[in-house]
Amino acid sequence: MNLDEITARLHAIRDHNDWRQFHSPKNLAMAASVEMAELVEIFQWLSEDQSRQLPPEKLAHAGQEVGDIVLYLLLLCAELGLDMDAVVRAKLTDSERRFT
């Protein structure tokens, strides 16, 4: 996954639709949170086993919501000047240090 290419494509969509005015860090964080709530809703009321064996249509829906979340987080990183790859790698290194 080339994050720079994906971010550039997102910015092209944003700019084409004149959405930059809405893409403050606050708004992007809230949008990612809303998408996360939509992902959680897919699993609401399912058992542990059911949540691991989603029917194809629910699995596809979950994938769409995960995509939405990741795209909003990429936009948020761009607005904050964060390198998504670097922050994820740093967090993974910290988790490995703390938990292994």
Side-chain angles (χ1 to χ4, degrees):
M1 174 170 27
N2 183 324
L3 298 181
D4 290 334
E5 176 192 342
I6 294 169
T7 301
R9 290 171 64 185
L10 283 169
H11 284 166
I13 294 167
R14 177 201 64 194
D15 296 345
H16 175 77
N17 290 284
D18 195 28
W19 290 339
R20 179 130 198 208
Q21 61 188 317
F22 305 113
H23 284 193
S24 67
K26 173 191 75 76
N27 287 350
L28 291 168
M30 290 187 338
S33 176
V34 168
E35 296 300 335
M36 190 67 192
E38 291 177 9
L39 178 61
V40 169
E41 188 176 32
I42 293 168
F43 296 98
Q44 187 176 19
W45 313 122
L46 297 182
S47 70
E48 294 293 324
D49 287 338
Q50 290 170 324
S51 73
R52 293 178 187 278
Q53 299 173 8
L54 293 176
E57 67 279 357
K58 284 195 177 204
L59 184 59
H61 186 192
Q64 291 172 345
E65 299 306 338
V66 168
D68 286 340
I69 294 161
V70 170
L71 294 179
Y72 276 124
L73 291 177
L74 280 170
L75 287 167
L76 178 60
C77 283
E79 286 300 309
L80 293 174
L82 295 171
D83 180 318
M84 171 76 86
D85 186 66
V87 298
V88 168
R89 287 178 186 278
K91 184 60 184 179
L92 181 57
T93 298
D94 183 57
S95 293
E96 288 170 335
R97 179 188 58 78
R98 293 173 57 210
F99 303 115
T100 58

